[in-house]
Amino acid sequence: MSPVKRLSTPPKQPPSKSTAAGRAPVTLRDIASVVGVSPSAVSMALADHPRIGRATKDAVRTAARELGYVANSAGRALRAGRATAVAVVVPNTAQHVFGHPYFMHLLVGVTSSANAHDSGLLVSTNPDQSHEVAAYDRILRSQTAAGAIIASAASNDANVSRMVDTGLPVVLVGRYPHLPQAVSVGVDDHAGAAAVTRHLVADHGLRRIGHISGPLEHQTALDRYEGFRAALAECAEPCAHTLAIGDFSEEAGRAGAAQLLDGMSDLQAIFAANDEMAYGALLELRSRGLRVPQDIALVGYDDFGVSRLTSPALTTVRVPAEQLGLHAADRLFDLIDGVAGEVTHTELPTELVVRESCGEHPAPTAAPTVTGTTAATG
Amino acid sequence: MSPVKRLSTPPKQPPSKSTAAGRAPVTLRDIASVVGVSPSAVSMALADHPRIGRATKDAVRTAARELGYVANSAGRALRAGRATAVAVVVPNTAQHVFGHPYFMHLLVGVTSSANAHDSGLLVSTNPDQSHEVAAYDRILRSQTAAGAIIASAASNDANVSRMVDTGLPVVLVGRYPHLPQAVSVGVDDHAGAAAVTRHLVADHGLRRIGHISGPLEHQTALDRYEGFRAALAECAEPCAHTLAIGDFSEEAGRAGAAQLLDGMSDLQAIFAANDEMAYGALLELRSRGLRVPQDIALVGYDDFGVSRLTSPALTTVRVPAEQLGLHAADRLFDLIDGVAGEVTHTELPTELVVRESCGEHPAPTAAPTVTGTTAATG
DNA sequence: CGCCCATGCTCAATCGTTAGAGCACTTCGA
DNA sequence: TCGAAGTGCTCTAACGATTGAGCATGGGCG
């Protein structure tokens, strides 16, 4: 068509360079014929096998680099009996219950670990619950992934225990008390919720507090609720508390706030189990003409980046989702490599992030309060 | 060596159940020995080959279902010469420039298409730019993915054209005017920006407007800026406009707003090139005691879910990121299947979302304004 | 001089799947 | 009654990487 080609790039197809960008993938055989040895020798040289001579290894590695050799993952996986990629499984139920930001942060963490391990990352969500055989089920059984990280919602999700039972390396994100043998990584929601509750009680002297929880069949929601109650119980003076059950959505936060306000007179503070419900609560408070924090204090949980955008900026508990993903992936690679380890459940610390939604904090706290233990044996 | 050959099935590892949950993966051979035919026949039966009898097909399919057979993707990929999975590539530069919500929405769309095509989804981000060979480069060259969807930031990203040149099926997300031969899917940012600008000019009668753009070497930022100017140019009365260049971050929005306010007296409106910068601008306006929308109007772009949480709720332009992902994946599967198609660039419509940040809109518009063309031939 | 061993490679087989060639058997038309 | 065509399957050979077995060669030692 055009009389002049790109430049420097000669006619692509035919005699071709030996560099990289060409069409046909480079195989061991290509390297073998360049170096003048057998494909087996090339394989062994690249694996640094002791029975291959120094000179041959050098020649092979040079040729591999020049040809731009990348091992065909299918061939390798077939021979090895397992793939190199790992999968992240997000059941659709989880997608709805948690928000998108959580998974994105998680993914970023998992990705960086996968990159460090030279490993691909498969992402699978369940298309619809009517499907008897879930998408991830197929992925795992087709040996596409060497292991899986599962971020599930319901603590009694049958799919989770089924997955754990397959014997495939699996790391769960979250806390699974009824699957004590499973490897899992989570945060100490109990401690985080207790910390933010204590902030309300101890730092601000509030005594009449309502909690908007998530669905209590979800471990996360339950832990946050129980952390809330535990913190109140340890309080010297009596504290009045009340509960509204939501589903982590903004709308549920709005409804929950309405329920709390109607149910308890002179409510002084609301602790929403996640930031999104806190926003909903904020809207409800505002529509009733209540000012935050002057008339009522408000705190959330998660801190996935938007909490600082509201007015007032929301005091909340930071969940280190990215670290969570990183850790989960690291644990998974350990499992895949057969590094057992005693620890089944790892807990990452949460951090209380004080902003404006409780008012000026009278007690000048030094460092940010970090809560949470690090490990538990199973 | 062994006196007896394979035959039907001598005691394998476990005498055990034949259902699914066990350890060893089910292969074609397992089905073959159950049904009493050769593995080839099983393969052909499952592929509905015409030369296989009805009875055999039924028997094979029944056995496959009962054993829970799932084809080993490595074996299949090796034989076929290409994988079934597709990759989503997110260069790290893009990750920083756009926000996380954009990619999550994109991913959701891509996932649903991949699920519909019974295909895995690989996610790859570039670990660090110092790496000469990028992670996605390896993924693609190792034949792990049959094709890739690339969401890049800079319009002149060398990696993008390199990827397109490999001959591997690739779909770009965004607009790439200098790569007209590449298949791409994007939104009509020019039209979207023009629509929201017209909203300010025509519906609200504002005449002194500032724009906070993204980095102008990014096609998206450029298109939005030019749409803004085009809308002003078509206005009958003269409109004063000014520009501050940002980087799509909240902080840049704050700085940009300050620059605009200092640079033009009696500024009536600010159009930020994305919602995050609009938040930043909002903070700056508020800190100067300017009320939105009473003293100054503010609009954003993207509408990835949080725009409605601010006060006032932000008028913005909705970018259908999920549809974008869905479409991109569909186009990619077409490419992989050899379905060529004349169209190289597909544009999805954007939608003006009117909320509170411009004040009551005097002109009672009927339906939401949808802008954008659908296709262009290359 | 003969043996052993270390070194450095090649050979062949294997992973699971699939396409094409080929082989038995049946049916049909001439 | 015989070939031709059709039907239904089996056999074989790949795809690319890996690995244990095996085969040369050469040096050291008795």
Side-chain angles (χ1 to χ4, degrees), chain B residues 18-201:
Chain B
S18 57
T19 28
R23 194 61 40 96
V26 181
T27 71
L28 284 182
R29 201 146 35 210
D30 299 327
I31 300 178
S33 76
V34 167
V35 178
V37 293
S38 72
S40 326
V42 175
S43 172
M44 296 166 92
L46 290 175
D48 207 25
H49 193 286
R51 297 287 290 275
I52 298 293
R54 180 58 44 195
T56 307
K57 280 182 186 172
D58 289 345
V60 164
R61 284 202 266 255
T62 302
R65 205 178 321 110
E66 278 177 2
L67 295 176
Y69 171 76
V70 177
N72 178 311
S73 59
R76 180 171 281 178
L78 184 55
R79 170 70 222 218
R82 66 170 157 94
T84 52
V86 296
V88 172
V89 173
V90 181
N92 63 342
T93 54
Q95 247 187 83
H96 293 118
V97 171
F98 303 128
H100 288 163
Y102 175 67
F103 290 109
M104 200 70 218
H105 286 274
L106 207 64
L107 264 188
V108 170
V110 173
T111 306
S112 78
S113 173
N115 277 331
H117 286 82
D118 239 29
S119 174
L121 176 63
L122 275 154
V123 173
S124 172
T125 69
N126 210 358
D128 57 275
Q129 50 269 74
S130 67
H131 255 62
E132 184 185 331
V133 177
Y136 55 79
D137 203 302
R138 271 187 295 111
I139 283 194
L140 299 181
R141 296 249 291 288
S142 67
Q143 313 262 275
T144 308
I149 292 171
I150 304 181
S152 180
S155 59
N156 59 351
D157 190 335
N159 286 323
V160 173
S161 29
R162 199 155 53 84
M163 197 113 304
V164 171
D165 286 344
T166 58
L168 193 108
V170 162
V171 173
L172 309 177
V173 179
R175 211 166 72 81
Y176 293 79
H178 65 296
L179 287 175
Q181 79 285 6
V183 175
S184 55
V185 175
V187 296
D188 192 342
D189 278 319
H190 191 282
V196 71
T197 305
R198 259 180 241 118
H199 175 68
L200 294 172
V201 173

Side-chain angles (χ1 to χ4, degrees), chain A residues 196-211:
Chain A
V196 72
T197 306
R198 259 180 240 120
H199 175 67
L200 294 173
V201 173
D203 295 351
H204 290 281
L206 304 171
R207 290 290 176 275
R208 303 179 65 77
I209 308 179
H211 179 55

Side-chain angles (χ1 to χ4, degrees), chain A residues 96-119:
Chain A
H96 292 118
V97 171
F98 302 127
H100 288 164
Y102 174 67
F103 291 109
M104 201 69 220
H105 286 275
L106 206 65
L107 264 189
V108 170
V110 174
T111 305
S112 77
S113 173
N115 276 330
H117 286 82
D118 239 31
S119 173

